[in-house]
């Protein structure tokens, strides 16, 4: 049986409260520098009370749970949409020290909810070119924005991190696609087409806000715009894999007009 890059582990963790880094005085300086060219006001109330969570604290323990000391990572890609509260050094570099090996550490942002899929595409590319045997994707979002945005944005209800481990699996078929210029109607049609290709046993997991009717459709609850889809996958994938059901994930970022899909034909149960 042939082997190809696949998802071996998907773990998720929620957190409440805040990080001590949210009270770091350098955070105010950092945010001020970021928004000054755009004339955006700070949220002085949130800075004063220390609201927000650091992504390193959210994800470090989850990485240790996902990967054992004898399972080194070759590449670590952190993706996020809502900003971190850690000023200074990139969080991806800090997270690379929370797992075995000395992985190449990258960060990806400013792609809306499509960023999670883009990070997976990059991880799979590293694997397929032979650069990485084990690639790790870290997704994170936290509830606080320390400035007023120029237009309304949707922030998560809770702090959350998700870790996806990409390794070679016998019989696995994992494909990530991204299409620009998508509308709600064209996205729904494309999701139906891909689901039909996967067959009658396929289950379709939709991000909140994407409507595609069907008997085997699982809808992500609202409240976690960046991590919610992947948290549901973490909960449901072991069962779907044991049932040998193909899985289709779909997310439409209406602001960017990007439809992102992931199709997974699972290998043997682990």
């Amino acid at each position: 049986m042939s082997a190809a890059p696949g998802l071996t582990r998907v773990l998720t963790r929620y957190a409440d409260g805040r990080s001590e880094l949210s009270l770091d005085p350098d955070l105010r300086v950092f945010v001020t520098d970021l928004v000054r060219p755009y004339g955006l006001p700070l949220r002085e109330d949130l800075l004063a009370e220390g609201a927000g969570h650091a992504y390193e604290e959210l994800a470090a323990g989850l990485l240790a749970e996902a990967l054992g000391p004898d399972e080194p990572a070759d590449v670590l890609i952190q993706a996020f949409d809502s900003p971190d509260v850690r000023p200074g050094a990139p969080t991806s570099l800090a997270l690379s020290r929370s797992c075995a090996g000395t992985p190449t550490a990258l960060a990806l942002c400013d792609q809306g909810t499509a960023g999670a899929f883009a990070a997976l595409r990059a991880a799979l590319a590293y694997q397929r070119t032979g650069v990485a045997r084990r690639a790790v994707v870290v997704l994170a979002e936290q509830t606080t924005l320390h400035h007023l945005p120029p237009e309304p944005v949707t922030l998560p209800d809770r702090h959350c991190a998700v870790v996806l481990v990409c390794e070679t699996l016998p019989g696995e078929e994992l494909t990530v696609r991204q299409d620009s210029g998508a509308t709600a109607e064209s996205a729904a049609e494309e999701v139906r087409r891909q689901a039909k290709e996967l067959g009658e046993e396929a289950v379709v997991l939709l991000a909140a806000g994407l409507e595609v009717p069907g008997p085997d459709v699982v809808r992500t609850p609202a409240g976690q715009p960046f991590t919610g889809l992947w948290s549901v996958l973490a909960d449901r994938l072991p069962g779907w894999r044991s049932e040998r059901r193909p899985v289709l994930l779909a997310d439409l970022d209406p602001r960017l007009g990007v439809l992102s899909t992931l199709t997974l034909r699972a290998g043997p149960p682990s």
Side-chain angles (χ1 to χ4, degrees), residues 57-145:
E57 292 180 33
L58 272 175
L62 199 58
L63 273 170
E65 183 181 340
L67 296 173
D70 58 344
E71 296 178 304
D74 302 301
V75 174
L76 184 147
I77 304 174
Q78 178 205 3
F80 58 96
D81 189 24
S82 54
D84 198 352
V85 300
R86 175 190 175 99
T91 301
S92 57
L93 296 179
L95 288 172
S96 70
R97 297 191 291 268
S98 297
C99 54
T102 55
T104 299
L106 309 171
L108 189 153
C109 62
D110 296 330
Q111 294 193 29
T113 58
F117 292 84
L120 268 175
R121 286 177 63 194
L124 296 176
Y126 271 102
Q127 287 188 287
R128 292 191 177 106
T129 56
V131 174
R133 185 174 68 88
R134 180 178 293 111
V136 180
V137 173
V138 180
L139 311 176
E141 62 182 342
Q142 58 95 18
T143 63
T144 305
L145 188 63

Side-chain angles (χ1 to χ4, degrees), residues 138-182:
V138 180
L139 311 176
E141 62 182 342
Q142 58 95 18
T143 63
T144 305
L145 188 63
H146 292 92
H147 63 84
L148 289 176
E151 59 185 49
V153 297
T154 302
L155 292 171
D157 293 339
R158 298 181 66 188
H159 315 303
C160 183
V162 178
V163 168
L164 303 102
V165 181
C166 302
E167 299 172 287
T168 299
L169 278 180
E172 185 97 332
E173 294 181 31
L174 176 60
T175 304
V176 180
R177 300 183 179 94
Q178 292 188 286
D179 300 304
S180 59

Side-chain angles (χ1 to χ4, degrees), residues 2 10 26 45 55 68 113-114 124 138 145 180 204 208 228 242 250 254 256:
S2 62
V10 186
D26 284 343
D45 55 335
Y55 289 155
T113 58
L124 296 176
V138 180
L145 188 63
S180 59
V204 179
S242 67
L256 299 178

Side-chain angles (χ1 to χ4, degrees), residues 33-47:
D33 289 343
L34 286 178
V35 302
R36 183 182 294 114
Y38 310 101
L40 300 174
L42 298 181
R43 285 291 306 272
E44 296 286 0
D45 55 335
L46 299 179
L47 288 164

